[in-house]
Amino acid sequence: MANVSVFAEQRDGKLKSASTDIISWAKSNGHTVSAVVIGKGIKSLEGELKSCGADKIQFVDDSTLEVYTPQAYSEALISVVKNTNPDYLLAAHTPMGRDLVPYVAMEMESSSTSDCTSVEWNGDSLKCRRPVFSGKATAEVEFIGNDKPKFITIRANTVPAGGDRPGEGVTTDHSVDLSNVTQKALGMEKGSSARPDVTEAAIVISGGRSLKSAENFKILEKLADLLGAAVGASRAAVDAGFRPHRDQVGQTGKVVSPSLYIACGISGAIQHLAGMRTSKCIVAINTDPEAPIFQVADYGIVGDLFEVVPALTEEIKKIR
Amino acid sequence: MNIYVCIKQVPDTATKIKINSDRTWIDTNGIKWIVSPYDEFAIEEALKLKESDPSNTVTVISAGPERVKEAIRTGLAMGADKGIHIELSEMADTALTAKALAGAIKKQNDASLVLMGKEAADDGLAQVPQFVSRLLGFSCVTVALEITYAADVLTVKREVEGGTIEKIQTPLPAVIAAQKGLNEPRYASLPNIMKAKKKEIEMLTMADVGVTDSDQMVRLVGFDLPPTKQPGRKIDGDVATQVQELVKALKDEAKVV
Amino acid sequence: MIQQIAFVIVALIAFGLAFFRVKDLLKLMKSHNGRYSFPTDIIPRLTRTLLDVFSQRAVLKKPIIGTIHATIFWGFIIISFGTLEQFLGTLVPGFNFGFLGNPIYLIFLFTHDLFTLLVLIAVGAAVFRRAFAAPKYLGRSSDANLILFFTGLLMVSIFLMHGFLILGTQFHYSHREALFASFEISKFLSNLDFSGSEFEALGISFKWVHMILVLGFAVYIPGSKHLHVLAAGPNTFLKPAKTEKPMTSIDFEDESVEQYGAGKITDLSWKDALDYYSCTECGRCQEVCPAWNSEKPLSPKKLIVALKENLYANKSVIFSGKTDEITHVVDEVNTEDVFWACTSCRACEVACPVFIQHTDKIYDVRRNLVMMEARFPLEVQTVFKNMETNGSPWAFSSDERINWADGIDIPLISSEPDPDYLFWIGCAGAFDDRNKKVVRSFAQILKKANVKFAVLGTEETCTGDAARRIGNEYLYQILAKTNVETLNRYAIKKIVTTCPHCFNTIKNEYPEFGGNYEVLHHTQLIGDLISTGKIKPRKTDFGGTVTYHDSCYLGRWNGIYDEPRNLLAAVSVGPVVEMEQNREKSMCCGAGGGRMWMEETLGSRININRTEQAKDTGASLVASACPFCITMVGDGIKAKDYSNSLVVKDIAELINDATN
């Protein structure tokens, strides 16, 4: 039975499911779970945190914490960790989590690691493995000292989702001196496109000239929206004016390495391959069974993208 | 303003990775080493600042074995003024590395801005910028997509999920970690490459920067290659069957949806 | 007496002015810093130059205008003797070439008159062409119009001179018949009511018109494109001796060199200046330039003219030694786009009748842009980085270089250390799926023919051709030296390759770095294998006629036109038809000069233009022998949706499929 603190990330009053997944999982493994929530007006999250498994809930509620700044949030988390002294401080490896945790770890002069893709309880200690060299290998993290807490961020979808063992939900309010915070949050901007950039998206769906028009790319966009994916294009499609140059994937465009790359109506000539062949999983949809793209695809469908992609979209809807 | 750029030398991303026999590291034979791509954005940002104000100096620092001198030379060839090499084992973890870097910077006692990539392309731990900032007592903003400079204050746009941008204002001194797209790193001109051969690289030992082996907190062990990829397969059947099978495979086999 | 004095004064002034103008031009030439190795094979060159110049064979490649020019050229020479006679005759009254005796003198006079007439007709034809039938590549030129006008005037003045002198008091009776045309004119002039001495005076007046026109020309020539009359001969003498032309290298060990490539006009060499002086703005280079013909801003003609004008514009700064103020070659008029548009196809150089080497200048300017200023298309940086780290323009690791051989047993040099041929694969052959098929086909041909060969496998690294053409000479030398070291370590003597770019650089450019090998292109070796009976390909029906697209690096760069065609003819049932632009006149596919690695954002697509030309032959198959050509034409076929009626294949694929 370890004392496990979990940073329960919230933005705009909504808890991240990746965080609540960790809480449930730790709880279901028999540990005492303490959720740490930082923000403004966050007390309303008490119910949700209790039902996903938090035995204790540490609130740091302050107007300075309404919007994330690294400095203010790390001061808040440091204060809570110092006061609660857990064995582990876990967080989801989200943009906020991966930024925040290291400040706290170094302040506590305590071991830390990040982006674990495999986590397993061995009694009260946690065994973690993580990808290295852009996922070309994995390694186990060995913690050298006996310091605590150990700070670990975990990649989303690593621990099983949900779980319905509620915790005791005992809350504590912490007040933190944030008067020395010099950083200011100046606001948020929605990105120019609601979709992620091809280079950073986990899933990329690309179209070639066979889409025949800019309008037809909507077929791919529908699927992309479902998956939170980016939409890319081959050079031929960009040349034909169907997509802007910033979406071009290839030797003279962007080089991408997503977890999933779906190539629709793209033949897979080397100039395109050079931009996406390191993708973890490649799906090819093309009417030409001899198209070179099938040489690198993990899964290939010889077919008309105008039939296959909408059908695929429907099928994905069923599992989302 | 004195700007320090921390860089890491990593294996080139196209290199095939082989594990060594006791699974404690990779087989470094035949590895091509490069400056970690995210660190290049940091170097470029520093050089742009130098161009806008020639009184700014740019020092490139790297901690690692002898070979990292090449990476420092690349930074010098791009246009940095000076290099610092801290001799450190290639097995050093992020904590030891960060302490060494912070130690070197503290020793210089003149840093206003510390730049580096948001993560190293080999381990992707994304910790060193935050560690260094805490050790130096500097403010820090990571994943910077755009930096606007005014008197002693920086406005940084940083990327969070879904294409959203957070704007954070921070005073100097600060540590800023670069994200891809911050700028376009320049190609070193030949005269600069030639000049770089003569630029100074200061050598520092672990003792010089105040670290020992016991500052290492974590080790990576048990290196494994991922299970070999199954050869690709074509999915047969009518469209409905094909997409069903595809989605099942993506979900259960590849685990990407 | 007066005439003598007047002549001496006028001649001194004219020749004096002409002399100082030419002196300045020579001084400008000498002010260049670029390297040029003066050739050593003087005698063969002299012979060849005399042949080239007097036969006018380069100009005659275009028969009609060629004949017009040749006429004017030969006329110019003969009439110069006539002019000389007039000059000497004015200095020494009564002097003429009559001492040569009949019939020589009469033949001289006859020929002189003949050519005066022919030149006049030729000038008339040239004027007609410029006025009513001007080809697009010609361009308007007041310089040209002036020269034609004054040449015509000169001929007219000669006729009038002779015409009046025949009617005058001094004329020798027998000369009259030799000057047959002038004689006819004199008959016409005799209708004028003048006395003999008046005719004589008129004749002398037109002699003076004639002489002053010539002296005027002498002064005018150095400032006009007519300068080619002085420069073209020497430029012909210095033309590259062979079709194969290695790019000049840079010595990076030389610490005194601070400027790499051409940034200012004076960074080029004096030979480049001689090229500008030789340019007549005929436009033949522009006519054949694939960049210009696809609406890119590069015209070889305009470039040479612009470089010349740049040199002249900087004259006073150069002469006063203010080298810092010499303007850059790349400016708002000659933008970077002009220099990046070149595909190094050398069609311009082949078309030029005075053997200007346009590409040398373009590539030297690229060197400055790349190495000194790091100014180049963004996508090229990826190529440089990939070559530096992985020895390939694509981001593939060198471990993967032998993957093309999966499933076939290919001997590695490390286990077959004494092959007859080292089969050089190249990056396209190693990494490009389309081209892997070609190297596999050729490997199979070699096996079928029992050729003892081996490959370097993962020890091969990029030959560096693209780096050199884009302008990164530093990177090129690193790659070239690495390859030479590997090849020499294995004591390789003979190399065969399927890529004309690898072929060209290893054969013609590696010797400078210590790599001396006998290098064959695969079409050459296949030809040998067939003629010695080692393989016997069947005739195949490709569904109609077949055509061949010449790779620039095989054709214009290395003179290999016949071997691939012979192979195609040997293996095709349907006849081989030629595209209109074939052999020396072949149109580039657009990928040379490093352009394979750059985005083509201006104008129309070169490769699509060429694909259309292939389609227009009606052939069902277009064969080629270069991985870039196959990529470009293949892309063109896809872009135009011709896949059902036209395919592109490498010669090796065709031969292999036809061989058991």
Side-chain angles (χ1 to χ4, degrees):
Chain A
M1 269 251 306
N3 277 325
V4 178
S5 276
V6 179
F7 172 65
E9 180 179 334
Q10 65 78 28
R11 256 195 218 278
D12 302 324
K14 290 213 329 245
L15 280 172
K16 264 264 188 303
S17 61
S19 303
T20 53
D21 286 347
I22 297 175
I23 294 171
S24 313
W25 164 75
K27 178 72 178 162
S28 63
N29 274 274
H31 305 289
T32 313
V33 183
S34 170
V36 184
V37 197
I38 301 172
K40 174 174 168 217
I42 42 170
K43 300 279 182 43
S44 52
L45 298 169
E46 182 182 334
E48 193 181 336
L49 287 165
K50 179 173 169 179
S51 62
C52 76
D55 295 311
K56 305 202 187 109
I57 306 173
Q58 323 290 344
F59 282 117
V60 189
D61 194 326
D62 191 299
S63 57
T64 322
L65 300 168
E66 185 172 2
V67 178
Y68 178 77
T69 60
Q71 216 177 38
Y73 271 55
S74 47
E75 291 307 323
L77 188 52
I78 287 167
S79 170
V80 172
V81 169
K82 278 189 176 154
N83 286 335
T84 58
N85 200 21
D87 298 315
Y88 286 96
L89 186 292
L90 306 178
H93 192 73
T94 59
M96 189 190 290
R98 68 165 76 121
D99 180 49
L100 176 60
V101 168
Y103 296 112
V104 185
M106 185 47 79
E107 174 65 22
M108 306 293 295
E109 294 205 36
S110 195
S111 324
S112 66
T113 191
S114 67
D115 199 22
C116 295
T117 49
S118 151
V119 282
E120 230 180 85
W121 288 103
N122 198 356
D124 284 354
S125 62
L126 190 56
K127 243 175 69 129
C128 317
R129 283 192 76 85
R130 62 184 308 280
V132 286
F133 302 106
S134 320
K136 290 185 208 167
T138 58
E140 186 182 324
V141 181
E142 188 184 288
F143 297 98
I144 297 176
N146 283 325
D147 47 303
K148 60 174 211 175
K150 307 246 187 305
F151 293 84
I152 299 172
T153 69
I154 304 173
R155 193 183 280 196
N157 301 325
T158 300
V159 301
D164 46 8
R165 264 184 72 180
E168 280 148 42
V170 175
T171 69
T172 313
D173 286 324
H174 296 256
S175 65
V176 182
D177 178 13
L178 298 168
S179 55
N180 291 325
V181 168
T182 53
Q183 287 180 356
K184 279 206 203 70
L186 296 182
M188 314 274 272
E189 270 174 26
K190 271 280 166 194
S192 52
S193 134
R195 272 179 226 103
D197 187 67
V198 284
T199 51
E200 298 287 312
I203 303 179
V204 176
I205 306 181
S206 271
R209 190 214 308 279
S210 355
L211 266 297
K212 297 215 183 72
S213 73
E215 185 66 23
N216 284 341
F217 265 81
K218 288 212 171 64
I219 305 173
L220 304 187
E221 287 178 354
K222 263 177 81 176
L223 179 56
D225 287 340
L226 263 187
L227 292 169
V231 176
S234 72
R235 181 175 152 175
V238 172
D239 284 346
F242 302 159
R243 301 298 286 183
H245 183 80
R246 66 158 191 275
D247 291 345
Q248 183 174 318
V249 172
Q251 170 83 358
T252 53
K254 304 251 170 73
V255 175
V256 305
S257 192
S259 308
L260 174 61
Y261 189 89
I262 306 181
C264 310
I266 293 179
S267 66
I270 191 171
Q271 301 289 70
H272 187 78
L273 280 191
M276 45 62 71
R277 67 187 196 104
T278 54
S279 309
K280 312 291 177 305
C281 177
I282 298 171
V283 174
I285 303 168
N286 198 301
T287 50
D288 175 12
E290 301 294 310
I293 189 87
F294 288 117
Q295 304 286 345
V296 298
D298 297 289
Y299 305 104
I301 293 183
V302 178
D304 183 351
L305 69 95
F306 289 104
E307 284 175 24
V308 177
V309 175
L312 182 57
T313 311
E314 289 309 305
E315 196 64 29
I316 294 279
K317 271 199 198 137
K318 293 187 195 160
I319 62 158
R320 278 273 156 157
Chain B
M1 185 162 67
N2 291 311
I3 307 168
Y4 289 83
V5 185
C6 302
I7 66 173
K8 185 177 183 187
Q9 193 187 51
V10 299
D12 172 66
T13 37
T15 306
K16 207 158 158 188
I17 297 295
K18 290 177 253 196
I19 311 291
N20 70 7
S21 48
D22 53 1
R23 293 169 65 222
T24 51
W25 190 223
I26 55 169
D27 177 3
T28 52
N29 270 324
I31 297 263
K32 304 280 191 334
W33 299 97
I34 58 168
V35 173
S36 174
Y38 293 107
D39 293 336
E40 282 194 319
F41 296 108
I43 300 175
E44 176 64 25
E45 195 66 17
L47 294 175
K48 279 167 66 176
L49 284 168
K50 189 175 145 76
E51 276 169 355
S52 66
D53 180 354
S55 68
N56 289 334
T57 64
V58 177
T59 307
V60 168
I61 320 184
S62 191
E66 182 66 17
R67 57 171 165 77
V68 311
K69 281 211 171 69
E70 270 317 299
I72 299 174
R73 287 262 173 246
T74 305
L76 293 172
M78 282 170 76
D81 300 299
K82 204 176 130 222
I84 297 177
H85 172 212
I86 308 167
E87 272 179 333
L88 205 62
S89 159
E90 76 177 348
M91 305 306 295
D93 72 339
T94 45
L96 172 53
T97 305
K99 287 181 183 162
L101 292 169
I105 295 172
K106 269 206 203 125
K107 214 165 151 318
Q108 307 293 313
N109 202 23
D110 60 3
S112 305
L113 180 60
V114 177
L115 293 164
M116 66 184 91
K118 63 154 174 148
E119 65 188 52
D122 58 356
D123 57 31
L125 280 160
Q127 297 176 313
V128 173
Q130 297 94 312
F131 286 175
V132 169
S133 81
R134 205 74 207 179
L135 290 162
L136 293 174
F138 287 7
S139 167
C140 176
V141 183
T142 65
V143 201
L145 277 178
E146 191 185 299
I147 310 174
T148 324
Y149 303 87
D152 276 317
V153 157
L154 306 180
T155 306
V156 183
K157 287 191 186 172
R158 64 187 298 267
E159 187 181 74
V160 290
E161 51 268 289
T164 312
I165 310 283
E166 267 179 359
K167 285 201 292 204
I168 312 257
Q169 188 186 84
T170 169
L172 288 176
V175 174
I176 308 287
Q179 166 63 307
K180 188 193 292 207
L182 176 62
N183 50 47
E184 288 287 354
R186 65 194 60 190
Y187 190 71
S189 74
L190 193 51
N192 279 349
I193 294 177
M194 300 300 201
K195 274 192 228 152
K197 293 190 185 161
K198 305 200 180 88
K199 283 184 189 161
E200 183 206 336
I201 299 183
E202 189 184 337
M203 293 284 310
L204 294 175
T205 62
M206 287 170 74
D208 288 332
V209 296
V211 299
T212 64
D213 286 325
S214 59
D215 287 306
Q216 174 132 2
M217 304 180 102
V218 156
R219 260 197 292 268
L220 290 175
V221 297
F223 280 78
D224 268 335
L225 292 175
T228 41
K229 256 172 104 138
Q230 297 277 45
R233 58 186 174 92
K234 292 214 180 87
I235 302 177
D236 295 316
D238 63 359
V239 176
T241 321
Q242 285 173 319
V243 300
Q244 256 178 30
E245 212 183 300
L246 176 62
V247 171
K248 191 156 170 290
L250 291 178
K251 190 160 168 296
D252 299 333
E253 281 173 33
K255 300 208 172 85
V256 284
V257 294
Chain C
M1 183 64 188
I2 301 175
Q3 284 195 42
Q4 283 168 288
I5 298 172
F7 176 72
V8 168
I9 294 174
V10 170
L12 274 177
I13 294 174
F15 283 128
L17 282 171
F19 171 76
F20 283 111
R21 293 187 97 183
V22 172
K23 189 156 168 286
D24 267 0
L25 288 173
L26 288 172
K27 193 170 164 196
L28 267 182
M29 260 170 77
K30 280 207 282 209
S31 65
H32 286 73
N33 303 316
R35 228 171 48 133
Y36 175 74
S37 316
F38 201 89
T40 47
D41 53 336
I42 308 288
I43 304 294
R45 276 181 182 267
L46 267 173
T47 341
R48 200 203 55 215
T49 305
L50 289 169
L51 182 59
D52 274 335
V53 170
F54 284 99
S55 72
Q56 291 280 288
R57 58 183 172 181
V59 190
L60 283 166
K61 280 194 207 167
K62 284 189 181 297
I64 300 178
I65 186 61
T67 308
I68 293 173
H69 180 273
T71 308
I72 299 177
F73 169 74
W74 294 318
F76 177 84
I77 293 180
I78 292 172
I79 292 167
S80 295
F81 282 106
T83 308
L84 182 61
E85 191 188 34
Q86 300 309 321
F87 282 173
L88 294 173
T90 310
L91 263 179
V92 180
F95 175 85
N96 56 41
F97 288 154
F99 63 84
L100 293 167
N102 302 348
I104 297 181
Y105 188 51
L106 292 179
I107 293 173
F108 166 67
L109 290 176
F110 174 79
T111 322
H112 189 284
D113 224 38
L114 174 63
F115 271 95
T116 309
L117 179 62
L118 288 176
V119 170
L120 189 58
I121 296 172
V123 166
V127 168
F128 180 86
R129 175 177 178 258
R130 271 192 184 259
F132 304 112
K136 278 208 338 226
Y137 55 82
L138 190 57
R140 292 182 170 285
S141 167
S142 48
D143 192 7
N145 296 338
L146 222 67
I147 292 167
L148 285 172
F149 175 69
F150 281 108
T151 308
L153 201 61
L154 187 60
M155 299 305 114
V156 168
S157 73
I158 292 174
F159 276 141
L160 289 175
M161 167 182 81
H162 283 159
F164 282 124
L165 284 178
I166 286 173
L167 300 170
T169 52
Q170 307 285 337
F171 215 73
H172 196 289
Y173 177 82
S174 61
H175 297 169
R176 178 169 65 189
E177 264 126 21
L179 297 171
F180 68 98
S182 304
F183 184 52
E184 295 306 310
I185 290 170
S186 72
K187 285 194 196 150
F188 176 73
L189 292 174
S190 64
N191 291 319
L192 294 166
D193 188 25
F194 289 123
S195 68
S197 42
E198 277 166 338
F199 280 130
E200 182 74 22
L202 277 165
I204 300 291
S205 308
F206 278 101
K207 182 182 81 161
W208 271 93
V209 169
H210 160 53
M211 292 195 301
I212 296 210
L213 278 173
V214 172
L215 290 172
F217 253 118
V219 177
Y220 181 72
I221 282 174
S224 106
K225 67 185 181 76
H226 220 55
L227 180 57
H228 79 277
V229 307
L230 295 178
N235 213 39
T236 306
F237 177 80
L238 291 173
K239 84 171 183 188
K242 301 197 289 185
T243 25
E244 296 90 337
K245 187 174 75 158
M247 274 178 74
T248 49
S249 68
I250 297 176
D251 183 4
F252 294 110
E253 307 292 316
D254 184 352
E255 305 228 330
S256 66
V257 174
E258 284 180 348
Q259 169 64 32
Y260 303 110
K264 303 183 197 261
I265 189 73
T266 43
D267 292 330
L268 292 163
S269 74
W270 64 261
K271 168 63 170 69
D272 292 312
L274 185 62
D275 274 345
Y276 322 144
Y277 296 165
S278 308
C279 176
T280 61
E281 303 178 34
C282 73
R284 293 183 186 198
C285 53
Q286 183 176 302
E287 185 192 18
V288 295
C289 175
W292 183 255
N293 288 333
S294 58
E295 302 93 50
K296 318 273 190 299
L298 167 65
S299 148
K301 173 177 92 165
K302 289 183 202 275
L303 177 66
I304 297 297
V305 171
L307 290 172
K308 181 169 66 177
E309 284 173 1
N310 184 314
L311 181 59
Y312 290 169
N314 278 297
K315 187 166 103 161
S316 52
V317 164
I318 292 172
F319 285 173
S320 59
K322 299 194 193 127
T323 42
D324 291 339
E325 292 179 36
I326 301 176
T327 55
H328 257 243
V329 169
V330 179
D331 55 27
E332 303 85 47
V333 173
N334 288 307
T335 59
E336 285 175 60
D337 287 335
V338 168
F339 295 93
W340 292 118
C342 179
T343 65
S344 73
C345 76
R346 294 181 64 197
C348 51
E349 296 177 0
V350 165
C352 180
V354 292
F355 312 108
I356 293 170
Q357 305 297 307
H358 312 67
T359 60
D360 294 353
K361 301 141 189 47
I362 294 173
Y363 290 88
D364 222 14
V365 170
R366 283 189 181 185
R367 285 176 176 178
N368 178 71
L369 286 172
V370 170
M371 293 196 291
M372 298 299 291
E373 303 184 27
R375 222 165 106 193
F376 43 77
L378 197 56
E379 57 271 22
V380 162
Q381 188 153 331
T382 317
V383 174
F384 288 160
K385 291 238 150 122
N386 289 339
M387 283 172 153
E388 282 162 2
T389 329
N390 295 307
S392 154
W394 292 293
F396 286 78
S397 142
S398 50
D399 303 330
E400 298 178 70
R401 272 191 188 269
I402 195 63
N403 292 359
W404 67 269
D406 274 349
I408 32 177
D409 176 31
I410 298 293
L412 286 176
I413 189 75
S414 40
S415 44
E416 176 70 72
D418 191 23
D420 289 336
Y421 291 96
L422 187 287
F423 177 14
W424 184 274
I425 308 298
C427 301
F431 301 126
D432 176 2
D433 282 316
R434 175 65 184 89
N435 205 249
K436 283 183 196 172
K437 294 189 186 147
V438 176
V439 298
R440 285 171 73 100
S441 297
F442 185 61
Q444 274 158 346
I445 292 175
L446 290 175
K447 285 163 84 89
K448 287 172 187 173
N450 284 319
V451 173
K452 197 167 152 221
F453 73 98
V455 302
L456 284 177
T458 57
E459 295 188 77
E460 214 182 88
T461 190
C462 183
T463 55
D465 163 81
R468 190 171 230 199
R469 306 306 159 212
I470 297 175
N472 199 337
E473 177 70 13
Y474 189 64
L475 176 56
Y476 168 74
Q477 288 193 17
I478 293 173
L479 293 165
K481 289 176 185 168
T482 307
N483 281 325
V484 166
E485 204 219 335
T486 308
L487 290 165
N488 287 351
R489 191 168 13 105
Y490 285 114
I492 299 296
K493 308 266 182 318
K494 291 198 207 168
I495 299 176
V496 63
T497 181
T498 48
C499 172
H501 288 259
C502 298
F503 168 73
N504 179 67
T505 196
I506 299 178
K507 177 163 181 261
N508 302 315
E509 300 181 331
Y510 275 21
E512 188 177 351
F513 304 104
N516 293 287
Y517 323 102
E518 188 188 322
V519 188
L520 289 179
H521 184 252
H522 72 292
T523 51
Q524 294 174 305
L525 183 52
I526 295 176
D528 284 346
L529 295 175
I530 293 179
S531 62
T532 51
K534 299 257 175 48
I535 51 168
K536 298 179 175 45
R538 298 177 299 275
K539 284 240 184 208
T540 314
D541 186 355
F542 297 112
T545 53
V546 297
T547 187
Y548 176 68
H549 163 76
D550 288 282
S551 151
C552 301
Y553 276 68
L554 270 186
R556 276 184 292 264
W557 277 82
N558 283 284
I560 298 177
Y561 298 108
D562 290 324
E563 291 90 325
R565 286 177 164 78
N566 293 342
L567 294 178
L568 186 57
V571 84
S572 169
V573 161
V576 178
V577 295
E578 294 283 358
M579 293 188 246
E580 200 185 307
Q581 287 179 247
N582 64 73
R583 290 174 176 265
E584 270 196 348
K585 299 212 192 91
S586 174
M587 179 182 171
C588 179
C589 73
R595 287 225 52 94
M596 174 77 181
W597 312 102
M598 302 182 209
E599 292 278 8
E600 194 176 353
T601 51
L602 302 169
S604 60
R605 285 293 164 90
I606 293 177
N607 67 322
I608 293 192
N609 292 352
R610 186 56 170 169
T611 306
E612 292 281 23
Q613 290 177 8
K615 185 90 174 81
D616 285 345
T617 61
S620 49
L621 168 77
V622 49
S624 185
C626 168
F628 290 169
C629 294
I630 290 185
T631 304
M632 295 305 250
V633 174
D635 280 354
I637 291 173
K638 256 195 278 187
K640 300 295 296 186
D641 263 321
Y642 289 158
S643 315
N644 290 330
S645 49
L646 183 62
V647 293
V648 61
K649 290 263 180 172
D650 189 280
I651 300 271
E653 295 176 302
L654 301 176
I655 300 281
N656 186 44
D657 288 342
T659 308
N660 296 332

